[in-house]
Amino acid sequence: MSMPRAGYSAISSYSRVEILALVQARPERTIAELAELTRLHPNTVREHLQRLIEAGHVLPSIEHRTRRGRPRTLYSAATGTGHASSPIARRKVKEAADRGDVMRRVMPWTGRGVARLGEAATHQLDAIVEHLAESGFDPAVDEERLTIELSPCPHAASQADHRETLCAVHLGLMQAVLTEAGGPLQAGCIRTSVRPTDCTVELVRS
């Protein structure tokens, strides 16, 4: 059994999921605001934010003040766009693409989809598969249908009561990875079923 990696531990706590949901919904949140909304101690919020920053999911910035007083640190979701691109996320997608290229050179039969999808989309899939594996999933990609099967969901049992929020947060994270990687693919939706462990991501071409 493989040990969970950094990305998984960064979002395995539902408190972190709550914080991620809040910064995805609106950027430039303060620790005080997040503590009030989540009912967590500010120090606990600060610890969660640090883990999310280290995983490349959240970006800190310093408030621009026009009046006296110490500027506050503001926290936003790393969306992969120019103004919200995490250097950690950039490094991760570059390393995923490099590893994918090496694998396709060593095992050429694994690169049959490159001609159909194109290099940019292939590198996006490299990045999203590694991100999902870090997050505790065992992703199975269907390059023809542009779907990623995530069943069984590793979070279903422990966070079944928060499935809607959890799925929304993961969809936002996946879209950020795809945007950071650059290419035509976007995360369209997460297709669920009555079984909480069943989960399929549908990708679309922009």
Side-chain angles (χ1 to χ4, degrees):
M1 180 178 179
S2 60
M3 293 297 291
R5 290 182 274 179
Y8 178 75
S9 61
I11 56 175
S12 58
S13 161
Y14 184 68
S15 296
R16 288 186 201 129
V17 171
E18 283 187 291
I19 291 169
L20 262 174
L22 289 168
V23 297
Q24 285 178 347
R26 204 201 75 201
E28 300 188 339
R29 302 270 196 180
T30 65
I31 285 179
E33 180 182 6
L34 292 169
E36 181 181 358
L37 291 170
T38 60
R39 299 184 180 180
L40 296 171
H41 191 279
N43 287 342
T44 303
V45 171
R46 188 175 287 107
E47 291 173 5
H48 286 322
L49 285 167
Q50 186 58 40
R51 295 291 294 277
L52 293 168
I53 291 168
E54 291 170 357
H57 302 323
V58 169
L59 290 169
S61 62
I62 302 300
E63 178 186 36
H64 176 70
R65 295 180 70 95
T66 57
R67 59 185 185 277
R68 290 186 179 182
R70 182 178 179 181
R72 300 171 297 179
T73 301
L74 307 175
Y75 298 90
S76 305
T79 62
T81 55
H83 66 285
S85 173
S86 162
I88 296 170
R90 288 198 299 273
R91 173 180 56 78
K92 284 184 175 182
V93 299
K94 174 64 166 58
E95 290 174 351
D98 290 344
R99 281 189 286 268
D101 287 341
V102 169
M103 180 188 70
R104 286 182 284 274
R105 285 197 297 270
V106 174
M107 299 180 289
W109 62 90
T110 65
R112 292 170 182 166
V114 177
R116 180 175 64 254
L117 293 172
E119 185 179 61
T122 299
H123 286 163
Q124 282 184 294
L125 290 180
D126 292 335
I128 198 66
V129 165
E130 288 209 6
H131 160 74
L132 289 167
E134 281 191 352
S135 300
F137 295 96
D138 184 17
V141 178
D142 186 324
E143 295 181 353
E144 293 187 2
R145 292 187 173 89
L146 288 180
T147 60
I148 307 176
E149 183 66 42
L150 300 180
S151 304
C153 174
H155 308 280
S158 61
Q159 301 180 11
D161 294 339
H162 310 294
R163 185 180 187 184
E164 185 175 348
T165 299
L166 188 66
C167 288
V169 165
H170 275 291
L171 186 65
L173 291 175
M174 285 185 279
Q175 182 55 53
V177 171
L178 292 170
T179 301
E180 192 70 71
L185 300 182
Q186 296 182 7
C189 67
I190 295 180
R191 190 172 71 231
T192 59
S193 73
V194 292
R195 295 179 60 191
T197 56
D198 288 350
C199 179
T200 304
V201 179
E202 294 186 354
L203 303 176
V204 295
R205 283 185 175 270
S206 59

